[in-house]
Amino acid sequence: MFDVPRRTKSIVEWHGELPIENGDWNVGLILGASGSGKSSILRHVFGEPKEFKWGGASVIDDFDKKKTMVEIAEGCRAVGFNTIPSWLRPYAVLSNGERFRVDLARRLLECNDVVVDEFTSIVDRQVAQIASHAVQKYIRKNKRRFVAASCHYDIVDWLQPDWILEPVTMKFIRRSLQRRPELSITICRVPYSLWELFAPFHYMSAELHPNARCFGVYVGERIAAFAGVLYRPMSNAGRGLSPVYGISRVVTLPDWQGLGIGPMPCDTL
């Protein structure tokens, strides 16, 4: 239709250096727009990313049978997949963000070198950044290797790759580990009715005592976590001691899991 010479136009080659063997590293990133050759280079150098089968009654049933529940829980928490009721659901009914995280968890537990194509492509950018931060922490802590191909430049400051390859120009950049971007956290009183937003994600109960004092944890202007505080009656009350309060419920919304926000209201309140 367009009179394109088939043989000459269908061949694409990349020429350059990928000197990853010249130093220690844990996290690598192949970065660029769609069609730039990321997937081809990823597969040529690091092999085909592993494909997983999902068909169990719950996603935790799909993990390698040799893994203990403690190991599976650690892997899920490492990628911010901390909503325990979701562990008991089949893969088909999970959200895109949950599927992305549980797939990452299986890769961390079942692959020696973790290779991921189209990294963060199916999730919103907030989930992408938080999951990137969570996975690189696990990889470095366990002295593993992780290589991803992605078209999203906004994950660089969160994934903190030790090297980046951009296939368009075959430019190779070696980086030093840096701090993740800062977040502005605010903890303040919120109405009891806000618990309805968090109740489905509590691992044990959707009930909250009607006398609970309620606090919200905000990242910028977005609500991320909830804490309920209850007065604890003490046998030595009235002896000049300060009242004792305890944390009754702490829940972090799935999109914010993996940053360590949950302990903040416990420590602060």
Side-chain angles (χ1 to χ4, degrees):
M1 181 178 179
F2 298 102
D3 196 26
V4 178
R6 181 181 303 169
R7 184 177 300 274
T8 58
K9 293 297 182 181
S10 65
I11 297 176
V12 181
E13 297 180 353
W14 293 267
H15 300 273
E17 298 293 330
L18 185 58
I20 56 177
E21 71 281 359
N22 293 343
D24 294 332
W25 61 274
N26 297 109
V27 180
L29 180 62
I30 303 175
L31 189 62
S34 297
S36 62
K38 302 185 303 298
S39 299
S40 297
I41 294 175
L42 182 75
R43 285 165 167 76
H44 179 73
V45 179
F46 301 100
E48 196 76 23
K50 185 175 181 178
E51 294 289 337
F52 293 114
K53 293 183 179 179
W54 302 91
S58 70
V59 289
I60 57 175
D61 292 324
D62 290 316
F63 280 77
D64 188 340
K65 304 305 179 186
K66 298 178 182 178
K67 301 298 181 182
T68 67
M69 191 59 230
V70 172
E71 291 174 313
I72 294 172
E74 181 185 3
C76 290
R77 293 192 184 102
V79 297
F81 185 49
N82 293 329
T83 305
I84 296 176
S86 294
W87 295 6
L88 306 179
R89 298 170 185 151
Y91 184 81
V93 304
L94 298 183
S95 68
N96 282 342
E98 290 174 325
R99 291 183 185 184
F100 168 71
R101 291 184 192 249
V102 76
D103 182 85
L104 266 182
R106 281 191 70 179
R107 293 185 188 280
L108 295 180
L109 292 179
E110 301 180 24
C111 302
N112 291 326
D113 291 336
V114 182
V115 180
V116 185
D117 197 7
E118 298 295 339
F119 183 60
T120 75
S121 291
I122 65 170
V123 293
D124 68 52
R125 305 323 306 152
Q126 174 189 295
V127 172
Q129 293 169 359
I130 294 174
S132 296
H133 174 69
V135 73
Q136 65 86 20
K137 285 199 304 183
Y138 180 91
I139 290 293
R140 290 189 164 95
K141 176 183 177 182
N142 292 277
K143 297 179 171 57
R144 303 273 299 283
R145 281 188 170 180
F146 174 92
V147 184
S150 178
C151 60
H152 298 287
Y153 285 77
D154 62 345
I155 65 172
V156 171
D157 290 338
W158 297 85
L159 185 63
Q160 286 298 319
D162 300 304
W163 56 261
I164 298 175
L165 176 69
E166 297 184 82
V168 172
T169 59
M170 286 305 290
K171 181 180 180 181
F172 179 82
I173 303 171
R174 191 174 291 279
R175 304 172 75 255
S176 60
L177 185 62
Q178 303 167 34
R179 292 177 63 94
R180 66 159 172 78
E182 290 187 352
L183 297 173
S184 175
I185 305 293
T186 304
I187 300 176
C188 60
R189 288 290 296 270
V190 294
Y192 182 92
S193 59
L194 194 62
W195 170 245
E196 295 181 6
L197 176 63
F198 292 85
F201 306 108
H202 192 270
Y203 76 97
M204 187 170 61
S205 172
E207 301 297 326
L208 177 66
H209 196 284
N211 291 328
R213 296 184 178 186
C214 301
F215 295 84
V217 182
Y218 288 82
V219 180
E221 297 183 355
R222 299 184 62 180
I223 186 74
F226 177 99
V229 177
L230 280 177
Y231 171 66
R232 306 293 192 188
M234 302 293 288
S235 59
N236 56 4
R239 299 180 184 178
L241 300 178
S242 300
V244 175
Y245 293 88
I247 300 291
S248 172
R249 295 282 186 268
V250 176
V251 183
T252 303
L253 292 177
D255 285 357
W256 294 99
Q257 293 174 7
L259 280 177
I261 292 176
M264 291 181 181
C266 298
D267 296 339
T268 303
L269 299 175

